[in-house]
Amino acid sequence: MKFLSLLLAVVLFTTSCQESKKQPTETIPSNSIFNLTTQWHNQNGDSLHLNDLQGKTLVVVMIYTSCKTACPILVAKMKTIESKISRKEIDDVSLVLVSIDPEVDTPPHLKEFAKTNNMDARQWTFLTSTEAATQEFANVLAMKYKKISPIDFSHSNIISVFSPNGQLVSQEEGDIDIDKVVATVHETVKKNR
Amino acid sequence: MKKIKYNLCLVLMVMFFASCSKQGKHTKHEDAGANTNINKLKSISTDVKMAYIPGGEYKPFYGTDTSLVTVAPYLIDERAVTNQEFLEFLKENPQWRKSQVKRIYADTSYLGKWPSDLELPANALPDAPICQVSWFAAKAYAQSVGKRLPSLDEWEFVAMADEVSPNARKKPQYSATIISLYMEKERQYKAVMKSKPNYWGIYNLFDLIWEWTDDFNSILTTSDSRNSQYEDKNLFCAAGATSSTDVLNYAAYMRFALRTTLKANYTIANLGFRCAKDTTISKAN
């Protein structure tokens, strides 16, 4: 009897072993943004890579904080989206604002912007990097932008939703339908729980 | 006997444990390695000649309404990167081979006609321009030879020239000639440098392929011209600041139209690239 239970234990261990093996072999999908190796800084000045955002459903927008035209609208839309996400699901979501103006949007500057706009809760992440990294990321999002003067950028208005493993789920461009984004976030969170 | 069995089980358990944790760690380590490799490009050498371009002011086809853009001096390859050169790059940089490239960097038709990772298509000339590579792949290649992709302005600056003058835009023949070159089919399979160079000594800007530029994504217009301007304004912040300044130049318009439809991981049968480089020389010798 003792022997049998031990055998059972061995079998159990091996199966549990196989299961735990699954996690590391479940590598980042080929089309995931977590394949990008660029280095970023968040609003707290922490250095990070995009794959540090792994594990949560991501709502991503690219903006620059000194923008007076479309970006405030985009930021407002991000806030509305955030407020419409169920509080039961908010811990599974990261709302990410990526700056296209790394020169001006330093981490302290982003921190200030976050505070002024009441976006300093845990679910908000502001990212800034080098111009090359920003360009690469914009290209991954198929977002167009151009510096039109030292203080102004012209850029496309896109809000993207990514699954917790960094795969693009949907993009809303132009007149962004907030409820559609919220619904997508809800579905993505549910699917990955 | 029982004791032996008991011990055996214990040993087995420990072994499984050990192998299990080892494997876990190992895989993780490999992942980290693969990730860092993407940025770590092995450099390769190339003997392509570069032309010195003094730069200057030029009027872009699309741009701010104040128009003139100053282009700083730069060096640009006299020809496009060839099949053979790209193959050499792949030999040293396996992460860019068609079987290994990440989808986020290149779509499924990347090097589509290549029968395998390091084999050119059967009828491909080694010195024909490489095509069906994404912007990311082109950028990585440029980095591996210590160069970069030309900016849109740099590319268009040398494209203003004909064989005898640096700016032939006002000549009626200029655009017509380019259009007729664009119309030719299967032109991308021909070898580079078989036609005449332009004023700057640069070959094949129009007669073989379309070319990636570093900032192709900076043209702010919708790809669908049927969209009204009003719709454009919702898509882009400050879109009013960019519009066409040279609508009569239909050849340039075609290039811009193509660029606006591209995404950085797209690969197209007649879209290749050449490299450029910064220069500290401000005057030609």
Side-chain angles (χ1 to χ4, degrees):
Chain A
M1 193 60 203
K2 224 182 198 174
F3 174 66
L4 265 178
S5 61
L6 263 169
L7 206 69
L8 196 74
V10 170
V11 169
L12 268 170
F13 269 122
T14 51
T15 47
S16 79
C17 174
Q18 269 164 353
E19 248 165 49
S20 68
K21 248 195 297 184
K22 238 182 204 170
Q23 250 178 343
T25 46
E26 198 185 300
T27 45
I28 295 164
S30 186
N31 61 352
S32 164
I33 51 166
F34 301 140
N35 287 304
L36 305 182
T37 53
T38 44
Q39 202 182 16
W40 297 77
H41 285 96
N42 66 14
Q43 69 268 39
N44 301 319
D46 304 325
S47 158
L48 61 127
H49 292 95
L50 290 173
N51 63 9
D52 291 321
L53 303 173
Q54 204 172 349
K56 292 191 178 188
T57 297
L58 308 176
V59 187
V60 181
V61 71
M62 291 186 89
I63 52 128
Y64 64 109
T65 59
S66 48
C67 174
K68 301 277 180 284
T69 46
C71 307
I73 301 171
L74 279 174
V75 170
K77 285 190 171 174
M78 285 293 278
K79 288 177 76 172
T80 314
I81 290 166
E82 194 271 341
S83 70
K84 288 190 168 192
I85 296 170
S86 147
R87 291 303 101 176
K88 285 177 192 159
E89 290 178 354
I90 198 72
D91 282 344
D92 294 323
V93 179
S94 258
L95 296 113
V96 186
L97 293 91
V98 181
S99 171
I100 53 171
D101 187 10
E103 239 171 83
V104 173
D105 290 336
T106 56
H109 193 95
L110 292 173
K111 181 92 185 168
E112 190 59 40
F113 183 85
K115 271 189 187 157
T116 329
N117 289 281
N118 278 325
M119 298 163 90
D120 47 359
R122 261 191 319 162
Q123 58 269 34
W124 294 104
T125 302
F126 290 76
L127 293 180
T128 182
S129 184
T130 59
E131 256 176 57
T134 309
Q135 183 198 30
E136 182 187 67
F137 192 64
N139 271 340
V140 163
L141 296 186
M143 173 180 153
K144 297 176 184 298
Y145 75 108
K146 186 184 177 79
K147 200 166 187 165
I148 49 174
S149 80
I151 50 157
D152 269 313
F153 290 80
S154 177
H155 61 91
S156 40
N157 302 329
I158 305 178
I159 292 181
S160 315
V161 178
F162 290 91
S163 69
N165 59 8
Q167 287 172 299
L168 185 65
V169 179
S170 79
Q171 285 193 313
E172 279 284 307
E173 186 166 0
D175 262 342
I176 289 153
D177 182 343
I178 287 172
D179 291 327
K180 218 166 145 187
V181 178
V182 173
T184 310
V185 169
H186 173 67
E187 279 160 33
T188 313
V189 168
K190 222 169 79 180
K191 210 186 275 173
N192 290 285
R193 263 193 171 165
Chain B
M1 186 64 189
K2 238 181 196 174
K3 204 148 201 191
I4 292 172
K5 269 185 190 167
Y6 183 83
N7 279 339
L8 198 77
C9 273
L10 219 68
V11 169
L12 269 173
M13 254 164 76
V14 169
M15 272 172 66
F16 270 120
F17 248 152
S19 77
C20 179
S21 60
K22 231 186 205 169
Q23 257 172 343
K25 261 185 200 161
H26 189 61
T27 334
K28 246 189 189 165
H29 185 72
E30 264 179 359
D31 284 349
N35 267 342
T36 47
N37 270 345
I38 291 171
N39 271 7
K40 273 188 194 148
L41 284 165
K42 270 206 177 152
S43 52
I44 57 164
S45 63
T46 157
D47 58 354
V48 61
K49 244 174 76 186
M50 299 191 89
Y52 172 82
I53 311 297
E57 284 190 330
Y58 101 116
K59 196 173 191 173
F61 302 95
Y62 279 84
T64 55
D65 33 16
T66 45
S67 277
L68 286 183
V69 165
T70 306
V71 180
Y74 60 102
L75 300 172
I76 189 162
D77 285 358
E78 61 174 348
R79 57 164 173 80
V81 175
T82 63
N83 282 327
Q84 186 60 41
E85 286 173 321
F86 201 78
L87 177 64
E88 298 304 324
F89 164 74
L90 295 180
K91 283 181 189 164
E92 296 298 323
N93 296 283
Q95 71 273 33
W96 287 102
R97 293 175 192 170
K98 64 185 273 185
S99 70
Q100 288 179 51
V101 72
K102 304 273 184 205
R103 268 310 142 250
I104 198 139
Y105 290 127
D107 65 17
T108 49
S109 65
Y110 176 68
L111 299 174
K113 294 198 181 76
W114 291 42
S116 69
D117 270 351
L118 298 174
E119 204 181 336
L120 295 180
N123 49 0
L125 299 172
D127 57 349
I130 181 72
C131 288
Q132 259 178 305
V133 289
S134 64
W135 176 86
F136 293 108
K139 217 173 150 65
Y141 175 92
Q143 204 185 321
S144 80
V145 294
K147 298 180 187 177
R148 57 173 173 79
L149 293 179
S151 71
L152 203 150
D153 286 331
E154 287 169 343
W155 201 98
E156 291 293 334
F157 187 88
V158 288
M160 293 191 297
D162 61 7
E163 285 167 27
V164 292
S165 63
N167 185 356
R169 271 189 192 170
K170 291 211 173 93
K171 297 181 188 173
Q173 264 313 90
Y174 165 77
S175 187
T177 311
I178 299 171
I179 297 289
S180 70
L181 292 171
Y182 282 172
M183 291 305 149
E184 212 183 305
K185 292 230 163 75
E186 314 259 287
R187 56 203 177 97
Q188 71 268 27
Y189 303 120
K190 295 180 183 169
V192 295
M193 293 173 76
K194 298 295 182 200
S195 50
K196 281 189 178 164
N198 76 1
Y199 173 85
W200 302 110
I202 294 171
Y203 292 82
N204 311 119
L205 280 169
F206 311 112
D207 62 343
L208 300 182
I209 53 168
W210 304 100
E211 295 181 18
W212 282 110
T213 58
D214 187 56
D215 52 347
F216 76 95
N217 69 339
S218 64
I219 307 163
L220 288 133
T221 174
T222 48
S223 51
D224 188 341
S225 58
R226 288 167 299 183
N227 282 347
S228 75
Q229 278 185 324
Y230 301 103
E231 274 174 294
D232 278 7
K233 278 189 182 140
N234 284 329
L235 290 173
F236 303 116
C237 168
T242 64
S243 64
S244 170
T245 55
D246 193 4
V247 284
L248 290 178
N249 191 336
Y250 191 66
Y253 175 77
M254 284 174 76
R255 288 195 295 277
F256 277 81
L258 172 77
R259 287 173 189 144
T260 57
T261 62
L262 292 174
K263 289 187 181 178
N265 68 343
Y266 278 15
T267 66
I268 296 176
N270 58 356
L271 177 62
F273 67 102
R274 72 180 69 217
C275 304
K277 206 177 180 178
D278 292 344
T279 177
T280 47
I281 311 163
S282 57
K283 264 185 195 167
N285 296 324

